[in-house]
Amino acid sequence: MPETTHERRPVITPVRVVIALCLTAPFVAMLWVGSYAKADPALAGIPFFYWYQMLWVVISTALTMLAYKLWQHDQQGRKAGEGK
């Protein structure tokens, strides 16, 4: 009986670390209230506190999309590696 050797890929890879950073960055930014709990500088009359949080809505969306695309790429690579 031929012995098949499956090369196991590591669970923690650089791509997965980037994915984790993309998903945790918005939480860290919003939980660090002292960094944005101020009124100045205002942007078009909107206090910093508000426009900073709204900016993170856009940044969070972009980071989540990036994490999703990286995850898809990682999973496709793993499936292709299994077929060998």
Side-chain angles (χ1 to χ4, degrees):
M1 181 184 290
E3 192 173 309
T4 59
T5 58
H6 286 60
E7 185 178 322
R8 293 185 55 113
R9 292 185 174 192
V11 175
I12 299 174
T13 62
V15 172
R16 289 184 176 193
V17 171
V18 171
I19 291 169
L21 289 173
C22 286
L23 295 176
T24 57
F27 289 105
V28 173
M30 291 293 94
L31 289 175
W32 186 21
V33 178
S35 70
Y36 64 90
K38 52 190 171 187
D40 290 327
L43 180 66
I46 301 170
F48 179 76
F49 179 81
Y50 295 111
W51 69 258
Y52 179 81
Q53 288 182 357
M54 289 298 105
L55 178 64
W56 269 102
V57 169
V58 175
I59 293 170
S60 298
T61 303
L63 289 173
T64 303
M65 287 173 43
L66 176 63
Y68 178 70
K69 292 296 183 183
L70 288 172
W71 181 257
Q72 282 183 326
H73 182 68
D74 183 61
Q75 292 304 304
Q76 288 172 356
R78 285 181 178 270
K79 285 182 182 177
E82 289 175 3
K84 290 182 178 177

XYZ file of all heavy atoms in Angstrom:
672
model
N 0.849 -1.174 0.000
C 0.000 0.000 0.000
C 0.896 1.240 0.000
O 1.730 1.392 0.889
C -0.886 -0.022 1.254
C -1.814 1.142 1.308
S -2.795 1.220 2.808
C -3.893 -0.124 2.607
N 0.737 2.109 -0.992
C 1.575 3.305 -1.038
C 1.210 4.254 0.099
O 0.050 4.447 0.425
C 1.272 3.921 -2.393
C -0.023 3.332 -2.819
C -0.160 2.014 -2.129
N 2.233 4.803 0.654
C 2.030 5.719 1.773
C 1.930 7.144 1.229
O 2.813 7.619 0.526
C 3.210 5.623 2.741
C 2.958 6.315 4.046
C 4.086 6.047 5.007
O 4.440 4.883 5.190
O 4.602 7.028 5.554
N 0.827 7.803 1.501
C 0.656 9.175 1.031
C 1.061 10.130 2.140
O 0.701 9.943 3.297
C -0.802 9.464 0.633
O -1.633 9.249 1.769
C -1.234 8.576 -0.513
N 1.825 11.084 1.755
C 2.235 12.101 2.735
C 1.573 13.411 2.352
O 1.724 13.898 1.244
C 3.766 12.283 2.746
O 4.178 12.642 1.429
C 4.455 11.005 3.192
N 0.788 13.911 3.255
C 0.139 15.203 3.056
C 0.937 16.241 3.821
O 1.127 16.106 5.029
C -1.298 15.182 3.565
C -2.232 14.424 2.671
N -2.063 13.099 2.371
C -3.335 14.836 2.012
C -3.033 12.716 1.572
N -3.824 13.753 1.340
N 1.376 17.211 3.093
C 2.097 18.291 3.739
C 1.073 19.226 4.364
O 0.242 19.813 3.685
C 2.929 19.044 2.705
C 3.802 20.101 3.320
C 4.652 20.784 2.265
O 5.116 20.117 1.345
O 4.818 22.007 2.386
N 1.101 19.319 5.664
C 0.150 20.175 6.377
C 0.661 21.600 6.366
O 1.798 21.861 6.710
C -0.036 19.694 7.804
C -0.723 18.350 7.877
C -0.994 17.985 9.311
N -1.743 19.042 9.957
C -2.991 18.921 10.386
N -3.608 17.775 10.248
N -3.612 19.910 10.969
N -0.207 22.482 5.967
C 0.149 23.892 5.985
C -0.076 24.450 7.382
O -1.001 24.039 8.074
C -0.704 24.658 4.986
C -0.381 24.293 3.565
C -1.149 25.159 2.636
N -0.718 24.902 1.282
C -1.050 25.659 0.273
N -1.822 26.692 0.446
N -0.619 25.377 -0.930
N 0.738 25.411 7.786
C 0.545 25.995 9.116
C -0.767 26.762 9.193
O -1.239 27.316 8.197
C 1.744 26.934 9.272
C 2.243 27.179 7.902
C 1.872 25.983 7.077
N -1.345 26.758 10.378
C -2.610 27.467 10.582
C -2.380 28.970 10.598
O -3.151 29.736 10.041
C -3.285 27.003 11.892
C -4.533 27.805 12.178
C -3.610 25.527 11.809
N -1.304 29.402 11.229
C -0.989 30.825 11.298
C 0.013 31.141 10.192
O 1.138 30.678 10.214
C -0.415 31.207 12.670
C -1.436 30.902 13.756
C -0.024 32.673 12.691
C -0.923 31.106 15.152
N -0.443 31.920 9.235
C 0.405 32.322 8.118
C 0.466 33.846 8.077
O -0.359 34.525 8.702
C -0.176 31.800 6.782
O -1.466 32.379 6.588
C -0.284 30.283 6.772
N 1.422 34.412 7.349
C 1.480 35.882 7.266
C 0.191 36.503 6.725
O -0.225 37.568 7.189
C 2.650 36.123 6.309
C 3.526 34.931 6.472
C 2.588 33.781 6.722
N -0.447 35.838 5.781
C -1.707 36.370 5.234
C -2.781 36.408 6.316
O -3.528 37.380 6.436
C -2.180 35.526 4.030
C -3.560 35.951 3.578
C -1.194 35.626 2.887
N -2.842 35.370 7.112
C -3.851 35.338 8.176
C -3.558 36.353 9.269
O -4.479 36.875 9.899
C -3.966 33.929 8.745
C -4.625 32.992 7.753
C -4.836 31.635 8.318
N -5.567 30.805 7.361
C -6.104 29.650 7.674
N -5.987 29.173 8.892
N -6.748 28.964 6.758
N -2.295 36.662 9.494
C -1.950 37.710 10.458
C -2.421 39.068 9.938
O -2.979 39.867 10.684
C -0.426 37.719 10.736
C -0.021 38.930 11.552
C -0.014 36.432 11.435
N -2.235 39.309 8.638
C -2.718 40.567 8.038
C -4.237 40.645 8.135
O -4.797 41.708 8.441
C -2.241 40.683 6.570
C -2.903 41.858 5.869
C -0.733 40.810 6.509
N -4.917 39.532 7.898
C -6.377 39.497 8.015
C -6.802 39.860 9.440
O -7.705 40.672 9.640
C -6.924 38.115 7.616
C -6.746 37.886 6.112
C -8.392 37.972 8.003
C -7.001 36.461 5.668
N -6.135 39.283 10.414
C -6.459 39.573 11.814
C -6.222 41.041 12.142
O -7.034 41.668 12.840
C -5.643 38.679 12.736
N -5.146 41.608 11.636
C -4.870 43.028 11.882
C -5.923 43.920 11.234
O -6.350 44.917 11.829
C -3.482 43.391 11.363
C -2.310 42.820 12.153
C -0.992 43.117 11.445
C -2.294 43.361 13.570
N -6.348 43.548 10.028
C -7.400 44.323 9.343
C -8.701 44.316 10.133
O -9.420 45.314 10.165
C -7.657 43.755 7.952
S -6.382 44.112 6.750
N -8.998 43.186 10.762
C -10.262 43.082 11.482
C -10.198 43.650 12.897
O -11.223 44.047 13.452
C -10.708 41.618 11.515
C -11.052 41.015 10.148
C -11.380 39.535 10.294
C -12.195 41.759 9.493
N -9.020 43.708 13.499
C -8.916 44.230 14.866
C -8.605 45.722 14.924
O -8.901 46.363 15.933
C -7.863 43.471 15.683
O -6.608 43.535 15.010
C -8.263 42.031 15.899
N -8.028 46.284 13.866
C -7.656 47.705 13.881
C -8.834 48.628 14.201
O -8.694 49.541 15.027
C -7.004 48.088 12.558
N -10.011 48.435 13.580
C -11.130 49.333 13.923
C -11.562 49.235 15.387
O -11.912 50.245 16.001
C -12.259 48.859 12.996
C -11.579 48.193 11.862
C -10.362 47.565 12.456
N -11.512 48.040 15.956
C -11.886 47.887 17.363
C -10.918 48.634 18.267
O -11.326 49.344 19.182
C -11.917 46.409 17.761
C -13.058 45.659 17.168
C -12.849 44.779 16.114
C -14.344 45.827 17.626
C -13.898 44.087 15.551
C -15.409 45.141 17.075
C -15.181 44.263 16.028
N -9.640 48.492 17.992
C -8.631 49.181 18.794
C -8.801 50.692 18.672
O -8.763 51.413 19.674
C -7.210 48.742 18.374
C -6.151 49.578 19.073
C -7.004 47.263 18.666
N -9.008 51.162 17.459
C -9.165 52.604 17.240
C -10.380 53.161 17.970
O -10.323 54.251 18.547
C -9.275 52.888 15.745
N -11.485 52.430 17.970
C -12.700 52.928 18.618
C -12.676 52.737 20.137
O -13.291 53.516 20.870
C -13.938 52.246 18.032
C -14.244 52.644 16.605
S -14.738 54.375 16.421
C -13.207 55.177 16.020
N -11.965 51.733 20.618
C -11.889 51.535 22.066
C -10.906 52.488 22.737
O -10.963 52.688 23.949
C -11.504 50.081 22.376
C -12.590 49.059 22.078
C -12.059 47.648 22.300
C -13.813 49.289 22.934
N -10.003 53.083 21.973
C -9.043 54.047 22.510
C -9.668 55.436 22.451
O -9.295 56.299 21.688
C -7.753 53.961 21.721
C -6.631 54.791 22.251
C -6.483 55.284 23.516
C -5.502 55.233 21.507
N -5.323 55.999 23.611
C -4.699 55.982 22.391
C -5.102 55.067 20.200
C -3.496 56.565 21.984
C -3.910 55.649 19.806
C -3.122 56.379 20.689
N -10.659 55.654 23.295
C -11.475 56.863 23.270
C -10.651 58.118 23.534
O -10.907 59.169 22.949
C -12.632 56.755 24.291
C -13.457 58.019 24.311
C -13.492 55.553 23.959
N -9.644 58.021 24.364
C -8.825 59.185 24.683
C -8.159 59.810 23.465
O -7.816 60.990 23.475
N -7.983 59.047 22.406
C -7.327 59.574 21.212
C -8.244 60.474 20.390
O -7.772 61.284 19.601
C -6.822 58.425 20.340
O -7.901 57.733 19.751
N -9.546 60.358 20.561
C -10.454 61.165 19.743
C -11.538 61.877 20.552
O -12.444 62.475 19.964
C -11.099 60.306 18.648
C -11.986 59.186 19.127
C -13.344 59.373 19.326
C -11.464 57.918 19.371
C -14.163 58.342 19.747
C -12.271 56.882 19.793
C -13.613 57.099 19.978
O -14.415 56.071 20.404
N -11.450 61.892 21.850
C -12.455 62.557 22.683
C -12.134 64.047 22.812
O -11.746 64.542 23.869
C -12.526 61.900 24.050
N -12.267 64.748 21.698
C -12.005 66.186 21.678
C -12.828 66.819 20.564
O -13.340 66.124 19.687
C -10.511 66.461 21.502
C -9.892 65.742 20.326
C -8.380 65.862 20.350
C -7.777 64.953 19.284
N -6.357 64.885 19.349
N -12.937 68.120 20.601
C -13.755 68.821 19.610
C -12.924 69.343 18.439
O -13.428 69.489 17.334
C -14.487 69.976 20.264
N -11.663 69.651 18.689
C -10.820 70.223 17.634
C -9.853 69.180 17.103
O -9.390 68.319 17.857
C -10.033 71.416 18.171
C -10.925 72.611 18.446
O -11.912 72.763 17.704
O -10.627 73.369 19.380
N -9.517 69.155 15.861
C -9.884 70.110 14.818
C -11.246 69.775 14.216
O -11.571 68.614 13.980
C -8.781 69.933 13.783
C -8.336 68.514 13.932
C -8.521 68.186 15.384
N -12.007 70.797 13.963
C -13.321 70.628 13.336
C -13.145 70.550 11.819
O -12.238 71.147 11.256
C -14.235 71.784 13.704
N -14.005 69.801 11.184
C -13.976 69.656 9.731
C -15.339 70.097 9.204
O -16.345 69.431 9.464
C -13.693 68.200 9.336
C -13.641 67.880 7.851
C -12.449 68.581 7.203
C -13.529 66.383 7.647
N -15.366 71.223 8.514
C -16.607 71.813 7.997
C -17.621 72.036 9.116
O -18.813 71.795 8.947
C -17.194 70.941 6.894
N -17.111 72.440 10.270
C -17.985 72.717 11.407
C -18.370 71.492 12.226
O -19.084 71.603 13.215
N -17.917 70.312 11.805
C -18.235 69.075 12.528
C -17.087 68.784 13.494
O -15.931 68.708 13.077
C -18.412 67.898 11.542
C -19.526 68.206 10.544
C -18.681 66.609 12.292
C -19.609 67.226 9.392
N -17.390 68.638 14.788
C -16.333 68.366 15.757
C -15.579 67.080 15.433
O -16.109 66.145 14.854
C -17.089 68.212 17.084
C -18.375 68.918 16.873
C -18.696 68.753 15.428
N -14.297 67.065 15.805
C -13.406 65.941 15.538
C -13.996 64.618 16.010
O -13.900 63.607 15.311
C -12.050 66.188 16.225
C -11.067 65.079 16.032
C -10.410 64.919 14.820
C -10.784 64.191 17.060
C -9.489 63.895 14.640
C -9.869 63.164 16.885
C -9.221 63.017 15.669
N -14.609 64.613 17.184
C -15.185 63.401 17.754
C -16.102 62.688 16.768
O -16.065 61.471 16.626
C -15.957 63.757 19.036
C -16.610 62.600 19.710
C -15.870 61.768 20.528
C -17.960 62.329 19.534
C -16.473 60.684 21.164
C -18.557 61.254 20.163
C -17.807 60.429 20.988
N -16.934 63.465 16.063
C -17.905 62.872 15.145
C -17.301 62.483 13.807
O -17.553 61.396 13.291
C -19.086 63.827 14.932
C -19.877 64.030 16.189
C -19.859 65.251 16.844
C -20.624 63.003 16.733
C -20.578 65.437 18.018
C -21.346 63.182 17.908
C -21.309 64.397 18.534
O -22.013 64.574 19.685
N -16.500 63.375 13.199
C -15.998 63.029 11.875
C -14.935 61.933 11.943
O -14.777 61.163 11.001
C -15.547 64.239 11.072
C -14.322 64.993 11.505
C -14.292 66.170 12.178
C -12.952 64.649 11.235
N -12.992 66.576 12.371
C -12.148 65.662 11.793
C -12.321 63.594 10.599
C -10.755 65.647 11.727
C -10.937 63.576 10.526
C -10.177 64.591 11.083
N -14.229 61.830 13.058
C -13.256 60.746 13.224
C -13.975 59.394 13.243
O -13.544 58.437 12.598
C -12.471 60.960 14.521
C -11.446 59.895 14.813
C -10.205 59.924 14.200
C -11.707 58.870 15.718
C -9.246 58.949 14.475
C -10.765 57.896 15.995
C -9.541 57.948 15.371
O -8.599 56.995 15.645
N -15.078 59.320 13.961
C -15.830 58.061 14.004
C -16.430 57.719 12.641
O -16.428 56.557 12.224
C -16.938 58.146 15.051
C -16.398 58.124 16.452
C -17.502 58.152 17.491
O -18.680 58.252 17.167
N -17.121 58.067 18.742
N -16.931 58.711 11.933
C -17.484 58.464 10.599
C -16.387 58.042 9.618
O -16.616 57.212 8.742
C -18.206 59.701 10.070
C -19.506 60.002 10.789
S -20.715 58.673 10.590
C -20.660 57.892 12.180
N -15.201 58.600 9.770
C -14.076 58.185 8.931
C -13.756 56.712 9.171
O -13.468 55.971 8.227
C -12.857 59.059 9.233
C -11.582 58.735 8.467
C -11.789 58.971 6.971
C -10.426 59.580 8.983
N -13.855 56.270 10.421
C -13.578 54.862 10.723
C -14.647 53.927 10.158
O -14.379 52.747 9.942
C -13.385 54.641 12.225
C -11.944 54.800 12.565
C -11.344 55.874 13.142
C -10.902 53.853 12.296
N -10.001 55.662 13.256
C -9.702 54.421 12.749
C -10.854 52.594 11.727
C -8.476 53.772 12.640
C -9.633 51.947 11.623
C -8.471 52.521 12.070
N -15.837 54.423 9.898
C -16.846 53.596 9.225
C -16.348 53.237 7.827
O -16.398 52.079 7.396
C -18.212 54.317 9.160
C -19.175 53.589 8.253
C -18.793 54.480 10.556
N -15.817 54.231 7.124
C -15.291 54.001 5.779
C -14.034 53.125 5.829
O -13.889 52.177 5.049
C -14.997 55.350 5.081
C -14.347 55.139 3.731
C -16.265 56.165 4.955
N -13.134 53.433 6.754
C -11.897 52.654 6.885
C -12.219 51.207 7.250
O -11.626 50.265 6.702
C -10.960 53.295 7.931
C -10.462 54.648 7.439
C -9.791 52.374 8.250
C -9.729 55.462 8.489
N -13.163 51.006 8.163
C -13.551 49.651 8.572
C -14.117 48.857 7.408
O -13.828 47.666 7.251
C -14.582 49.701 9.692
O -14.045 50.313 10.825
N -14.906 49.531 6.580
C -15.461 48.869 5.400
C -14.344 48.418 4.466
O -14.333 47.275 3.996
C -16.425 49.811 4.657
O -17.455 50.217 5.558
C -17.022 49.146 3.440
N -13.393 49.293 4.215
C -12.280 48.959 3.325
C -11.431 47.827 3.901
O -11.036 46.903 3.180
C -11.425 50.195 3.078
N -11.163 47.876 5.203
C -10.353 46.831 5.828
C -11.075 45.482 5.842
O -10.459 44.432 5.653
C -9.964 47.236 7.255
C -8.936 48.359 7.365
C -8.767 48.770 8.826
C -7.613 47.950 6.761
N -12.385 45.506 6.050
C -13.163 44.267 6.028
C -13.191 43.673 4.626
O -13.060 42.456 4.453
C -14.592 44.513 6.536
O -14.519 45.065 7.851
C -15.393 43.229 6.577
N -13.338 44.520 3.614
C -13.304 44.032 2.233
C -11.941 43.434 1.903
O -11.856 42.371 1.272
C -13.623 45.176 1.265
C -15.072 45.595 1.261
S -15.445 47.074 0.283
C -14.503 46.837 -1.186
N -10.874 44.088 2.337
C -9.528 43.571 2.110
C -9.338 42.231 2.811
O -8.810 41.279 2.219
C -8.484 44.579 2.598
C -7.025 44.133 2.523
C -6.622 43.881 1.078
C -6.132 45.168 3.177
N -9.792 42.131 4.052
C -9.675 40.877 4.797
C -10.445 39.762 4.104
O -9.959 38.622 4.001
C -10.183 41.058 6.229
N -11.612 40.057 3.587
C -12.426 39.058 2.891
C -11.727 38.572 1.624
O -11.677 37.365 1.351
C -13.797 39.636 2.567
C -14.683 38.693 1.804
C -15.210 37.552 2.413
C -14.988 38.913 0.471
C -16.014 36.675 1.706
C -15.797 38.048 -0.239
C -16.304 36.925 0.391
O -17.099 36.048 -0.311
N -11.188 39.511 0.844
C -10.487 39.131 -0.380
C -9.239 38.304 -0.061
O -8.939 37.320 -0.742
C -10.102 40.366 -1.194
C -11.287 41.090 -1.775
C -12.014 40.208 -2.764
C -13.168 40.928 -3.411
N -13.926 40.078 -4.311
N -8.507 38.682 0.969
C -7.334 37.903 1.370
C -7.737 36.509 1.834
O -7.047 35.526 1.551
C -6.559 38.631 2.474
C -5.788 39.873 2.050
C -5.248 40.590 3.273
C -4.671 39.521 1.091
N -8.843 36.415 2.555
C -9.326 35.114 3.031
C -9.718 34.224 1.850
O -9.383 33.048 1.820
C -10.509 35.295 3.969
C -11.022 33.998 4.493
C -12.136 33.329 4.102
C -10.423 33.190 5.505
N -12.260 32.167 4.809
C -11.226 32.054 5.679
C -9.275 33.329 6.285
C -10.919 31.057 6.590
C -8.975 32.332 7.198
C -9.793 31.213 7.339
N -10.412 34.793 0.874
C -10.779 34.025 -0.314
C -9.533 33.514 -1.031
O -9.475 32.351 -1.426
C -11.595 34.880 -1.286
C -13.025 35.066 -0.908
C -13.768 35.861 -1.967
O -13.210 36.759 -2.601
N -15.023 35.516 -2.164
N -8.552 34.375 -1.192
C -7.313 33.990 -1.860
C -6.599 32.892 -1.081
O -6.091 31.930 -1.666
C -6.413 35.219 -2.018
C -5.135 34.948 -2.733
N -5.093 34.629 -4.068
C -3.859 34.939 -2.296
C -3.831 34.429 -4.416
N -3.070 34.618 -3.356
N -6.575 33.023 0.236
C -5.936 32.017 1.091
C -6.643 30.673 0.964
O -5.991 29.628 0.847
C -5.953 32.489 2.552
C -5.250 31.526 3.481
O -4.046 31.302 3.292
O -5.919 30.991 4.393
N -7.959 30.681 0.966
C -8.711 29.433 0.872
C -8.554 28.775 -0.494
O -8.462 27.547 -0.591
C -10.196 29.679 1.166
C -10.456 30.071 2.604
C -9.916 29.047 3.584
O -10.253 27.882 3.525
N -9.037 29.491 4.463
N -8.506 29.574 -1.556
C -8.302 29.020 -2.889
C -6.922 28.374 -2.983
O -6.763 27.312 -3.589
C -8.452 30.104 -3.949
C -9.880 30.543 -4.143
C -9.989 31.750 -5.053
O -8.998 32.316 -5.488
N -11.226 32.157 -5.334
N -5.929 29.011 -2.377
C -4.570 28.456 -2.372
C -4.517 27.145 -1.607
O -3.826 26.208 -2.001
N -5.245 27.059 -0.513
C -5.245 25.823 0.279
C -5.954 24.700 -0.471
O -5.526 23.561 -0.422
C -5.914 26.065 1.637
C -5.034 26.830 2.579
C -5.680 27.061 3.920
N -4.770 27.755 4.785
C -3.897 27.160 5.605
N -3.839 25.872 5.669
N -3.090 27.889 6.356
N -7.054 25.028 -1.150
C -7.764 23.994 -1.916
C -6.914 23.503 -3.072
O -6.903 22.315 -3.378
C -9.099 24.534 -2.427
C -10.151 24.638 -1.358
C -11.459 25.122 -1.916
C -12.475 25.263 -0.804
N -13.754 25.800 -1.280
N -6.187 24.418 -3.723
C -5.321 24.034 -4.827
C -4.169 23.163 -4.318
O -3.730 22.236 -4.978
C -4.779 25.257 -5.535
N -3.699 23.456 -3.105
C -2.614 22.671 -2.507
C -3.040 21.276 -2.121
O -2.254 20.336 -2.103
N -4.329 21.094 -1.790
C -4.836 19.780 -1.421
C -4.941 18.859 -2.633
O -4.822 17.658 -2.513
C -6.223 19.906 -0.779
C -6.212 20.501 0.594
C -7.619 20.701 1.129
O -8.584 20.327 0.439
O -7.745 21.247 2.224
N -5.159 19.444 -3.802
C -5.355 18.648 -5.005
C -4.079 18.027 -5.528
O -4.104 17.180 -6.399
N -2.949 18.446 -5.022
C -1.683 17.919 -5.520
C -1.394 16.539 -5.027
O -1.729 16.071 -4.044
C -0.531 18.852 -5.098
C -0.593 20.159 -5.856
C 0.574 21.022 -5.461
C 0.547 22.308 -6.239
N 1.596 23.206 -5.855
